[in-house]
Amino acid sequence: MASSSSNQSEIQQNEPEKLEYLEPVEATRTKTIPSEGSTSAAPVEAHDRITSEKEFTSTSAATAEQIPDEKENGASKDKEKKAKEKQLDITEHLFPVEDIAARHGVSIDTAKASNSKGLDSSVASQRLAENGPNILSPPKQIHPFMKFIHCLTSLFNLLLILAGILNYILLAVDPKNNKVNTYLGAILIIVAFLNAAIEFYQAQKSAAVLQSFLDLMPQKCFAIRDQKVAQIPASELVLGDVVFVRMGDKIPADIMLFACTDMKVDNSSLTGESDPQDRSPVNDQKNPFEARNLAFNGSLVVNGEGYGIVIRTGDHTVLGQIAGLTANESSGKSPLSREIDDFVKIIASIAIMTAIVFFLIGYFAVYKSQGSSGIANTLNFAIGVFVAWVPEGLPATVTMLLTIAAKRMASQNVLVKDLTGVETLGAITLLATDKTGTLTRNQMTVTNIWSSNTMYSAFRSAANAGDPFDASSPGIPEVLSISALCNRAKFDRTDVPISERQVLGDATESGLTRFASSNIANFDDLNDLYPKVFEVPFNSENKWAMTIHRRDHGNGVYTLYMKGAPERILRLCSTILINNVAIPLTEEHSKAYNEMYALMASKGHRVLAFAQLLLSGDQYPDGMVFDKEKKNYPTSNLCFVGLISLEDPPKHGVREAIGRCRSAGIRVMMVTGDHPLTAEAIGRKINLMISDTKEMVAKERGCSIDEVGDDEYNAIVIHGEQIDSMTEEDWDLTFSKPEIIFARTSPKHKLDIVKHAQALGHIVGVTGDGVNDSPALKKADLGIAMNLSGSDVSKEAAAMILLDDNFASTVRGIEEGRLIFTNLKKSIQYTITHSMPEVIPNLLYVIASIPLPISAMLILVIDLGFELIISLTFAWDKPETKTGLMKLPPRKPVTPASVERRRRLATRALPAKIDAESGKEIPPTFAARLHHDFKSMFTGVYWREKFEHTEEEVLVDAGLLSWAYLEIGIIEAIGALVTFFVVLYKEGGLTPAKAVRMQKNNEFSSLSPEANRELLAKAQSCFYLAIMIMQLFNLFACKARLRLPFGAYMFSNPRSFVGALFGCALGFLIVYCPGLPVVFGTSNNTPFVYLLIPLAFGVFILFYVTVRQLVLRKLRPTIFNEEIVGLNMFPTIKTIFSRTKSIQRTTT
């Protein structure tokens, strides 16, 4: 009810969050009736907020008063800003349609809408020029060049470019001895650009595929211009246009209806409400989403037709406002990106520290006496050490592994827009999913039929009780006839098989149409065989629909069919159909009806009752004209045929998918705009909720809800109205429960839910298909949209798209994400192990003056040669056990300890500043963060927390670094050095001491004798091949994470052997191919016998890894998730139509 000025102010202050549900108001046709002595709230300009100070001038004196400004109530700027955000700028539904028409200067005829004059073309053109086209502003596009620069400036690529530049600095310091750096520097920089190009290409490829799915607005619509109906592009609609919409149309803009017939709209993409909503010129709601005289841009007309005035266009529609809310959110870096950055920082820190330390050692211990040339030599050495630490091939390895995984997921109908999203899916700890269209089909489907005192199940499922469906059973032919004929839904075409057709109409009637058409062979001919002669459509007053058909029977030519609310239909019946005979309806029949009705309704199904009446030829002769005004048709003494229940069923595979997610330690919660009871009913069918809620525990114990402790229940259902008043303690309690459903949520609520979950440390995945899901999809760590049923806005916001809308693909993606993380970790572990046999010789070359065991060129050949080839084969490694990956907890589990640690760390983080005027947070500057982080490094708390034990598993952890730098890396360095010195001794008779003396005398330089240079080339060749051979053993050692490095699993990836073969071929080619030794400083005359030494060390590596694995099993055994009792892993649902032979019965 419209209020006075003071009351209106109170309404504004207490209004819930933007796009939420409010209480109904008393109203009549298209206007709110004010109480005596009060005035209506004033409308505002089309694109201004409700708090605008503009007055609305209309023919109604009752609407002249202006809405008070919140500033006049003394609210602060922050409160005012927050209040504005809670408003939805639509108030036209509160006013007479005549006033809205006058405001927009358009002529309408409410009595006969088709006679409305509409706008003049000249006026429409002027408004189009002033306000712009009726399109959604596309998301801000980043120029492809800037996208490439973004890929190029990742920390890893910057490290490569820095290494390349340092090579050129070495060339400038000592051009004579560093000529090879001309090529090395170029190669490193080219690798960085190539790596960026691969990532850029993959991103552009995904963007191109996505663009092919997008179509932001309906293309054409009907509008009345210059007193005639014309089909115009939807983009040309302007404020005040009169549009005509009918069943099957998408609403082209936000419109206010002034005439409609049996019109229903599907708002599920905006609100999550799965049930079609009635539309009428009569409104009794003050919330725009509940208003019956409004229809919103992008919603679908599923029944009837109507005329309306355009009140919002383009970005100012509700669809546009939600899209704007999405644009204001950012998801931040993925966990993998952050961890790769951390790894680069670790490598860079080690490299810089090593370079500085050994620069000082080298200068003071070796080169100090050489003066300025000593500084140059030491700088040369320090930069060489820095470059040696950089794993040049690793960035390409990471990118290629993710690209291969993304391609593998694309073959399973999962489109990844961002490469790191592949791994993010495997890391999620919380999956928040929409219900309608994501977990369910968004398609009402017949589930149970009760007729002739027998319950039949239309689904072959353990969850549905009843006899198997048989189209010839007593009462079923009549049920099928009523489903087909007492129905306004229709197929879009008849020239293709029924399974390929789309149904146009109300969701319930569409479900009945699908059911009937699957069981009646001559379904397409029914309307011709039994033409409809009269109809009373369903309305909210009668709550039933009736049709009369010309269908002969023994006593006449007309048959009446009726369907509707069970309690209403039963009152109109005096007989019941039992075994094809109409017998008097008794109390016993009524009792059986009540039991079946309660059973169906308890499952969350929508229940309809069917009735019929064979009209007597004496009372209703052939040719009789039935009339609604005269009511010369019967509405009593009908024959009750039966009950039928429909539901929006879960998609096939959803139950198993959610069960597997929960077994994998991932918390799955439903976030929907639908009713709490409907949401809970679906949740209990799909493994999302199997425990008791607080209310159920209280009911079972026979006590009040307040007497139930917070630790006595594991399931919770939160209504959207509660979210705004929830405290941090309430959020903590909610997220501590393993089974959560949020119902009646708005887009703002979904966004808040994601933010609070992320604040607790959850890596949040969000699945959804509607516009209302888009802000949460954008904010989540990984947004997952549906392609077929998804809105364009949701596809833009998401980072991953399920091309076939199969929720089960999410689980396959999670397994793929976990597998790629494991393989990526193994690949990095394998790749950086060879750093030690590259770095240690360089250090000994300066500190101990040994001959240089490996040249810079050979280091580059290792990193970008056989190592790159072999490391890529990890992309095809299979899981070590079939179910092991999905039995492990998430790699970053959220526990009470992790939440406490996260909050503790947050208290020591540099706080953001708050802008006094806007109230926005201003993040600290880079310099401020650097200063803060530097200061904190000198505190004991920082280092205690740095080495604090956590349950998290990161990409590069202490165990991996220990393997690469302290264990296997050292073994390989020793093995390669032993090989190097054995070659010097056996081929040249040089002991290590003699080799050092010769090196100090520059007897291995380019000016030394040919024999010395050939001896060094042989030793360096063996050193190079020794690293390659030991890395082959390390390849298989790294595969063993949960098992020993032996057995059939080691042969499960044939590409490992193919990669090893090509890697070895390249390695030996570098040494033995004629001509190449001149380039790489190797020798064709290198004996094979010395390669037995690295073979022995390789065997020792496998022995060491076996012992290491056995010790770790004792000290840190692998912890798997506990089994969840009550999970149902049988198939979600299969229709009788696809699983059993349906009896195709021709109706006669």
Side-chain angles (χ1 to χ4, degrees):
M1 189 177 211
S3 310
S4 64
S5 296
S6 60
N7 290 337
Q8 181 66 28
S9 177
E10 183 180 346
I11 289 173
Q12 289 185 29
Q13 293 172 7
N14 295 327
E15 227 172 350
E17 293 288 318
K18 185 176 182 182
L19 311 183
E20 288 193 313
Y21 302 86
L22 306 177
E23 296 300 319
V25 292
E26 184 181 350
T28 57
R29 186 182 184 280
T30 70
K31 67 176 183 179
T32 304
I33 300 181
S35 57
E36 187 176 349
S38 68
T39 59
S40 299
V44 296
E45 287 297 317
H47 298 162
D48 293 331
R49 289 287 175 188
I50 194 172
T51 52
S52 170
E53 296 183 15
K54 296 183 180 180
E55 290 189 313
F56 172 55
T57 307
S58 75
T59 55
S60 173
T63 64
E65 188 167 332
Q66 186 181 340
I67 299 174
D69 195 324
E70 288 192 16
K71 288 183 180 180
E72 297 174 5
N73 296 331
S76 66
K77 289 182 180 179
D78 291 346
K79 289 183 179 179
E80 179 191 357
K81 180 176 180 292
K82 187 175 180 181
K84 284 184 178 182
E85 290 177 349
K86 293 184 179 183
Q87 310 293 340
L88 176 60
D89 65 337
I90 293 181
T91 56
E92 284 86 346
H93 60 294
L94 301 176
F95 301 97
V97 68
E98 294 81 5
D99 293 352
I100 303 301
R103 170 189 176 190
H104 291 296
V106 62
S107 173
I108 62 172
D109 187 337
T110 56
K112 192 171 183 181
S114 59
N115 290 341
S116 299
K117 295 181 179 180
L119 291 177
D120 292 336
S121 296
S122 57
V123 174
S125 299
Q126 181 182 353
R127 293 183 181 180
L128 184 62
E130 291 175 353
N131 299 326
N134 175 38
I135 61 174
L136 296 182
S137 296
K140 291 182 180 179
Q141 297 294 326
I142 302 174
H143 193 276
F145 177 75
M146 296 308 297
K147 289 183 180 179
F148 178 77
I149 294 298
H150 176 73
C151 296
L152 184 62
T153 52
S154 68
L155 285 181
F156 231 140
N157 287 334
L158 288 177
L159 189 62
L160 284 179
I161 293 172
L162 176 61
I165 293 172
L166 290 176
N167 270 287
Y168 282 112
I169 292 176
L170 279 179
L171 181 64
V173 171
D174 188 359
K176 185 177 180 180
N177 294 321
N178 290 310
K179 287 182 180 180
V180 71
N181 287 21
T182 306
Y183 309 105
L184 293 178
I187 291 173
L188 289 172
I189 294 173
I190 289 172
V191 168
F193 274 83
L194 186 62
N195 183 52
I198 294 171
E199 186 177 352
F200 172 75
Y201 170 75
Q202 183 66 27
Q204 289 296 96
K205 185 179 177 182
S206 298
V209 175
L210 173 64
Q211 192 60 39
S212 67
F213 302 140
L214 297 181
D215 182 17
L216 293 178
M217 297 287 289
Q219 296 297 309
K220 297 284 186 178
C221 66
F222 290 98
I224 299 180
R225 294 266 181 94
D226 301 320
Q227 304 183 35
K228 59 184 179 182
V229 177
Q231 190 176 33
I232 66 172
S235 60
E236 295 180 8
L237 282 180
V238 297
L239 298 176
D241 258 326
V242 176
V243 297
F244 168 67
V245 292
R246 58 190 176 186
M247 184 173 67
D249 289 346
K250 264 192 177 183
I251 305 295
D254 288 354
I255 63 175
M256 180 178 182
L257 298 166
F258 63 86
C260 56
T261 305
D262 303 324
M263 183 172 168
K264 291 184 179 181
V265 294
D266 179 6
N267 281 344
S268 60
S269 68
L270 293 174
T271 65
E273 177 66 58
S274 58
D275 294 336
Q277 306 296 301
D278 291 314
R279 285 298 174 259
S280 166
V282 179
N283 176 45
D284 57 359
Q285 303 283 334
K286 67 181 179 181
N287 174 18
F289 272 114
E290 299 282 343
R292 298 170 64 194
N293 61 343
L294 293 181
F296 300 110
N297 176 26
S299 57
L300 182 68
V301 181
V302 295
N303 193 62
E305 59 187 36
Y307 290 82
I309 302 172
V310 174
I311 58 173
R312 294 289 185 282
T313 61
D315 289 335
H316 303 284
T317 61
V318 172
L319 178 66
Q321 290 187 37
I322 298 176
L325 185 64
T326 303
N328 292 331
E329 295 301 328
S330 60
S331 58
K333 284 188 174 183
S334 69
L336 183 63
S337 296
R338 291 194 296 267
E339 290 174 18
I340 289 176
D341 286 351
D342 290 341
F343 172 57
V344 173
K345 292 174 184 176
I346 291 171
I347 289 290
S349 299
I350 293 174
I352 292 171
M353 290 292 292
T354 307
I356 292 174
V357 169
F358 284 95
F359 173 84
L360 297 174
I361 294 174
Y363 178 72
F364 289 106
V366 181
Y367 296 113
K368 185 176 181 181
S369 60
Q370 298 178 9
S372 59
S373 62
I375 296 178
N377 290 334
T378 311
L379 183 62
N380 192 338
F381 157 67
I383 293 177
V385 170
F386 177 89
V387 174
W389 276 108
V390 178
E392 290 86 356
L394 193 56
T397 302
V398 172
T399 302
M400 290 301 296
L401 256 66
L402 292 176
T403 301
I404 293 167
K407 186 176 180 180
R408 195 158 55 223
M409 293 183 73
S411 67
Q412 299 177 358
N413 291 312
V414 179
L415 174 67
V416 181
K417 292 165 66 176
D418 178 13
L419 281 180
T420 57
V422 176
E423 190 281 327
T424 305
L425 186 56
I428 60 173
T429 60
L430 179 68
L431 183 60
T433 175
D434 181 38
K435 179 183 76 69
T436 308
T438 303
L439 298 176
T440 64
R441 301 178 183 181
N442 197 16
Q443 182 183 100
M444 296 301 290
T445 306
V446 173
T447 307
N448 293 106
I449 306 100
W450 181 69
S451 185
S452 294
N453 275 333
T454 304
M455 173 76 86
Y456 299 96
S457 174
F459 288 120
R460 181 75 64 185
S461 169
N464 289 316
D467 295 344
F469 177 81
D470 187 340
S472 62
S473 298
I476 298 300
E478 287 74 13
V479 169
L480 292 172
S481 294
I482 298 172
S483 298
L485 297 172
C486 188
N487 196 326
R488 304 188 83 183
K490 60 183 180 181
F491 286 118
D492 60 342
R493 54 194 298 186
T494 58
D495 58 338
V496 296
I498 287 175
S499 60
E500 299 177 15
R501 303 178 190 177
Q502 297 291 323
V503 185
L504 304 176
D506 170 87
T508 301
E509 295 197 327
S510 296
L512 295 175
T513 298
R514 290 190 192 90
F515 172 63
S517 63
S518 299
N519 291 278
I520 300 176
N522 60 338
F523 178 84
D524 291 334
D525 302 325
L526 285 186
N527 287 319
D528 295 329
L529 290 172
Y530 314 118
K532 185 192 301 181
V533 297
F534 182 70
E535 178 181 20
V536 177
F538 181 91
N539 61 68
S540 57
E541 183 178 346
N542 292 334
K543 293 190 180 298
W544 49 257
M546 182 190 75
T547 57
I548 298 177
H549 297 264
R550 185 180 181 85
R551 184 171 187 175
D552 295 352
H553 52 86
N555 196 27
V557 297
Y558 295 117
T559 302
L560 179 150
Y561 292 133
M562 183 180 287
K563 73 173 187 295
E567 61 276 6
R568 295 291 184 93
I569 298 293
L570 191 67
R571 288 183 209 153
L572 305 179
C573 296
S574 59
T575 60
I576 184 171
L577 190 67
I578 302 292
N579 295 324
N580 299 322
V581 178
I583 62 175
L585 186 66
T586 66
E587 285 296 325
E588 186 178 346
H589 294 138
S590 297
K591 182 180 179 181
Y593 152 85
N594 288 330
E595 290 177 357
M596 290 300 105
Y597 184 18
L599 175 64
M600 292 177 172
S602 67
K603 298 179 180 180
H605 295 181
R606 182 177 299 167
V607 187
L608 295 177
F610 285 180
Q612 68 175 19
L613 184 62
L614 307 180
L615 301 183
S616 169
D618 297 334
Q619 190 174 356
Y620 304 99
D622 189 4
M624 178 174 177
V625 177
F626 296 93
D627 192 300
K628 290 183 182 179
E629 298 295 331
K630 295 179 182 179
K631 293 189 176 181
N632 58 345
Y633 51 86
T635 56
S636 60
N637 294 320
L638 275 61
C639 177
F640 189 87
V641 174
L643 295 172
I644 196 165
S645 71
L646 302 95
E647 66 169 335
D648 182 7
K651 290 181 178 179
H652 178 60
V654 163
R655 176 187 288 120
E656 306 96 298
I658 291 179
R660 291 192 65 197
C661 283
R662 295 192 62 183
S663 297
I666 299 168
R667 194 171 303 176
V668 184
M669 69 179 183
M670 186 189 298
V671 184
T672 178
D674 215 338
H675 193 279
L677 294 179
T678 306
E680 184 177 349
I682 291 294
R684 292 193 176 278
K685 292 178 183 178
I686 57 175
N687 282 329
L688 194 142
M689 186 169 280
I690 56 179
S691 305
D692 290 344
T693 60
K694 190 174 185 179
E695 292 76 10
M696 294 171 67
V697 172
K699 184 177 180 181
E700 188 177 312
R701 286 171 45 183
C703 62
S704 67
I705 294 178
D706 295 335
E707 294 179 45
V708 178
D710 291 335
D711 58 342
E712 296 182 58
Y713 61 96
N714 290 319
I716 188 168
V717 180
I718 304 291
H719 195 287
E721 292 179 352
Q722 300 172 244
I723 292 177
D724 296 324
S725 58
M726 286 176 66
T727 64
E728 289 301 321
E729 289 75 16
D730 294 332
W731 283 108
D732 288 352
L733 175 63
T734 299
F735 283 116
S736 69
K737 302 301 178 185
E739 299 170 359
I740 309 169
I741 291 177
F742 288 96
R744 287 295 190 221
T745 55
S746 70
K748 182 69 166 55
H749 289 151
K750 293 186 177 185
L751 193 57
D752 288 341
I753 291 166
V754 171
K755 288 180 178 179
H756 278 91
Q758 288 175 328
L760 293 174
H762 279 290
I763 298 175
V764 182
V766 173
T767 64
D769 65 336
V771 177
N772 59 329
D773 302 314
S774 302
L777 287 170
K778 184 73 174 289
K779 182 62 180 174
D781 295 283
L782 186 74
I784 308 167
M786 304 291 161
N787 175 44
L788 302 178
S789 62
S791 66
D792 300 326
V793 177
S794 68
K795 294 175 196 174
E796 284 277 12
M800 184 177 287
I801 298 173
L802 303 182
L803 301 182
D804 59 353
D805 284 19
N806 188 356
F807 182 82
S809 299
T810 305
V811 179
R812 291 198 297 271
I814 290 172
E815 189 167 8
E816 184 67 45
R818 290 190 171 191
L819 178 60
I820 196 61
F821 174 81
T822 301
N823 291 345
L824 199 57
K825 188 165 186 173
K826 292 177 181 178
S827 180
I828 292 174
Q829 180 175 321
Y830 164 80
T831 302
I832 65 173
T833 300
H834 71 254
S835 293
M836 294 311 290
E838 293 173 356
V839 172
I840 290 177
N842 273 279
L843 298 179
L844 294 176
Y845 169 67
V846 175
I847 305 303
S849 294
I850 69 171
L852 184 64
I854 187 167
S855 66
M857 183 60 81
L858 286 178
I859 288 176
L860 201 59
V861 169
I862 290 174
D863 290 355
L864 300 179
F866 70 80
E867 285 288 73
L868 183 59
I869 295 172
I870 294 174
S871 62
L872 287 178
T873 65
F874 281 98
W876 290 277
D877 269 9
K878 296 178 180 178
E880 293 185 54
T881 61
K882 288 185 177 180
T883 60
L885 277 178
M886 297 300 282
K887 293 293 184 181
L888 292 170
R891 64 187 186 89
K892 292 191 174 183
V894 177
T895 62
S898 71
V899 172
E900 186 276 330
R901 181 173 183 271
R902 185 180 182 87
R903 288 176 172 169
R904 176 162 35 88
L905 292 175
T907 60
R908 280 186 276 281
L910 189 62
K913 295 181 180 178
I914 306 297
D915 184 82
E917 291 189 7
S918 65
K920 292 183 178 180
E921 287 189 354
I922 303 175
T925 63
F926 175 77
R929 292 199 308 271
L930 189 63
H931 179 260
H932 177 270
D933 293 344
F934 185 75
K935 282 180 59 179
S936 62
M937 290 175 62
F938 295 94
T939 62
V941 174
Y942 173 85
W943 293 106
R944 281 197 303 272
E945 291 174 344
K946 200 70 175 174
F947 293 100
E948 183 180 358
H949 174 70
T950 67
E951 297 176 352
E952 295 184 0
E953 181 183 5
V954 295
L955 188 64
V956 180
D957 54 17
L960 188 149
L961 294 175
S962 174
W963 174 289
Y965 295 146
L966 300 179
E967 299 174 67
I968 308 302
I970 296 296
I971 294 173
E972 288 190 6
I974 294 171
L977 285 170
V978 168
T979 305
F980 178 76
F981 283 111
V982 167
V983 173
L984 289 179
Y985 180 74
K986 289 293 184 179
E987 294 295 314
L990 300 181
T991 62
K994 189 174 180 180
V996 169
R997 287 196 301 270
M998 290 180 66
Q999 174 63 26
K1000 289 182 178 179
N1001 296 327
N1002 289 327
E1003 294 183 37
F1004 292 108
S1005 68
S1006 57
L1007 301 177
S1008 62
E1010 176 66 24
N1012 289 0
R1013 286 187 280 117
E1014 176 65 14
L1015 178 61
L1016 180 62
K1018 288 181 181 179
Q1020 287 184 338
S1021 298
C1022 284
F1023 189 97
Y1024 164 74
L1025 292 175
I1027 294 177
M1028 181 187 74
I1029 292 170
M1030 287 184 288
Q1031 279 291 82
L1032 290 178
F1033 287 90
N1034 186 38
L1035 167 68
F1036 294 98
C1038 287
K1039 291 177 181 291
R1041 183 189 179 198
L1042 302 176
R1043 57 171 68 233
L1044 299 178
F1046 307 102
Y1049 174 71
M1050 296 299 152
F1051 300 90
S1052 63
N1053 180 7
R1055 287 181 175 85
S1056 295
F1057 297 93
V1058 175
L1061 181 63
F1062 276 97
C1064 288
L1066 178 62
F1068 284 108
L1069 194 71
I1070 296 295
V1071 175
Y1072 294 104
C1073 181
L1076 290 184
V1078 177
V1079 179
F1080 297 102
T1082 55
S1083 173
N1084 296 125
N1085 301 317
T1086 304
F1088 280 98
V1089 67
Y1090 299 115
L1091 301 183
L1092 292 174
I1093 298 172
L1095 279 173
F1097 273 90
V1099 172
F1100 176 74
I1101 287 174
L1102 293 181
F1103 171 75
Y1104 175 84
V1105 170
T1106 302
V1107 175
R1108 182 182 191 271
Q1109 195 76 292
L1110 293 173
V1111 171
L1112 288 177
R1113 283 183 183 179
K1114 294 291 184 180
L1115 298 179
R1116 292 201 301 270
T1118 302
I1119 300 175
F1120 292 95
N1121 295 316
E1122 294 182 5
E1123 185 176 349
I1124 300 175
V1125 179
L1127 290 180
N1128 297 315
M1129 300 304 289
F1130 52 83
T1132 310
I1133 204 164
K1134 279 288 185 182
T1135 64
I1136 189 78
F1137 317 131
S1138 60
R1139 289 292 299 274
T1140 63
K1141 182 178 179 181
S1142 177
I1143 299 176
Q1144 298 291 309
R1145 183 179 185 278
T1146 302
T1147 308
T1148 56

